[in-house]
Amino acid sequence: GENVEQHPSTLSVQEGDSAVIKCTYSDSASNYFPWYKQELGKGPQLIIDIRSNVGEKKDQRIAVTLNKTAKHFSLHITETQPEDSAVYFCAARDHGSGNTGKLIFGQGTTLQVKP
Amino acid sequence: ETGVTQSPTHLIKTRGQQVTLRCSSQSGHNTVSWYQQALGQGPQFIFQYYREEENGRGNFPPRFSGLQFPNYSSELNVNALELDDSALYLCASSSRQGAYYGYTFGSGTRLTVV
């Protein structure tokens, strides 16, 4: 089955700097890769997603890139702000689970943005 | 448009007991999935319900079961609770079965088994 590895586990940046979180996946058939932000006491919130027929997607300060050959995808946050501080999870749809929405999540990255 | 709501928010149970967690899906969403999130880990897929039937299951034993109702709300039942069942249980709804359109997660139920 699918396996997703996420790095780094913690990331500390200065306000205004960029942050990059990287994930690798094992199943080359996987075709959908969402990123979630989870704040303390809340459920994960979808912030951006990408499908395998696209190499890059941007939404204001957030971008995701996908390299299908290397089986890795990355989240880029530019001009970070203190409110970006949270735990970020990457995920991949488990193609082997048929027509279900089963997502395999990475272990999470705790991002701290220092003012 | 209301989001996904889960109840209760917190729960303490004793080992061996049974528990029922509830989820109301977001308006317009007909698919509900349940995930278990242990402390410091990413969520793990338990199962998904579509048209009131389970149509996908993760690596969880049969003592984890669920229901989906005609209004698309859902319940997660766990029998014979074990200490390792202590976790945040997340419900997620989507408008399509395959989750290509993104899940909407609830805030979860924090279950503590003592």
Side-chain angles (χ1 to χ4, degrees), chain A residues 4-77:
Chain A
V4 176
E5 298 287 335
Q6 182 172 348
H7 299 281
S9 57
T10 61
L11 180 59
S12 182
V13 300
Q14 210 65 38
E15 181 178 359
D17 288 350
S18 295
V20 180
I21 303 171
K22 299 181 179 181
C23 289
T24 59
Y25 60 99
S26 60
D27 186 356
S28 57
S30 289
N31 54 10
Y32 174 67
F33 307 92
W35 285 89
Y36 288 86
K37 175 183 180 182
Q38 187 173 26
E39 297 174 293
L40 201 60
K42 296 185 178 180
Q45 178 189 10
L46 178 69
I47 56 172
I48 196 167
D49 56 11
I50 191 167
R51 301 188 193 187
S52 58
N53 58 348
V54 175
E56 184 177 3
K57 184 177 178 180
K58 289 183 179 179
D59 183 4
Q60 299 183 350
R61 297 185 297 109
I62 295 174
V64 56
T65 58
L66 172 65
N67 183 326
K68 287 191 294 182
T69 303
K71 291 188 286 186
H72 67 69
F73 56 113
S74 301
L75 177 71
H76 304 253
I77 306 175

Side-chain angles (χ1 to χ4, degrees), chain A residues 97 100-105, chain B residues 6 19 21 32-38 42-49 54-67 74-78 84-85 87-92 103 105 109 111:
Chain A
S97 64
T100 71
K102 179 181 178 181
L103 293 176
I104 306 299
F105 283 81
Chain B
Q6 293 187 243
V19 68
L21 310 182
V32 173
S33 299
W34 287 90
Y35 283 79
Q36 180 195 67
Q37 185 177 23
Q44 283 196 303
F45 180 78
I46 303 174
F47 42 53
Q48 181 182 76
Y49 276 84
E54 181 185 303
N55 78 328
R57 189 176 186 94
N59 189 25
F60 282 83
R63 60 188 184 85
F64 285 78
S65 63
L67 287 171
S74 179
E75 286 183 354
L76 165 65
N77 299 290
V78 187
D84 285 348
D85 295 334
L88 180 68
Y89 288 85
L90 295 163
C91 170
Y103 285 140
F105 278 91
T109 294
L111 173 65

